[in-house]
Amino acid sequence: MSDKRLYRSSVNYMLAGVCGGIAEYFNIDPTLIRLAWIVLTCMSCGTGIVAYIIAAIVIPK
């Protein structure tokens, strides 16, 4: 069983490392996660910003 954990990235970060950490967890390009997050934020009237802030607080570094 893999001991894979979700952490904020200290290498692939722009603001808090949330998107980079998610990308490392799923082993995909961080740019795709960032683009998806931007699209979801625009489509949901800013809810993505609140979700990002919560993720930055909840996900350990």
Side-chain angles (χ1 to χ4, degrees):
M1 185 174 200
S2 174
D3 190 27
K4 195 174 187 183
R5 294 182 182 221
L6 178 62
Y7 292 102
R8 288 186 289 145
S9 178
S10 59
V11 179
N12 292 320
Y13 68 92
M14 290 199 134
L15 293 176
V18 173
C19 292
I22 292 170
E24 289 175 7
Y25 182 80
F26 289 111
N27 197 24
I28 57 175
D29 186 19
T31 306
L32 296 174
I33 299 294
R34 290 181 186 113
L35 288 173
W37 205 291
I38 290 170
V39 168
L40 290 173
T41 298
C42 292
M43 291 177 66
S44 64
C45 300
T47 307
I49 296 170
V50 175
Y52 189 91
I53 293 169
I54 292 171
I57 294 169
V58 172
I59 299 173
K61 190 152 189 165

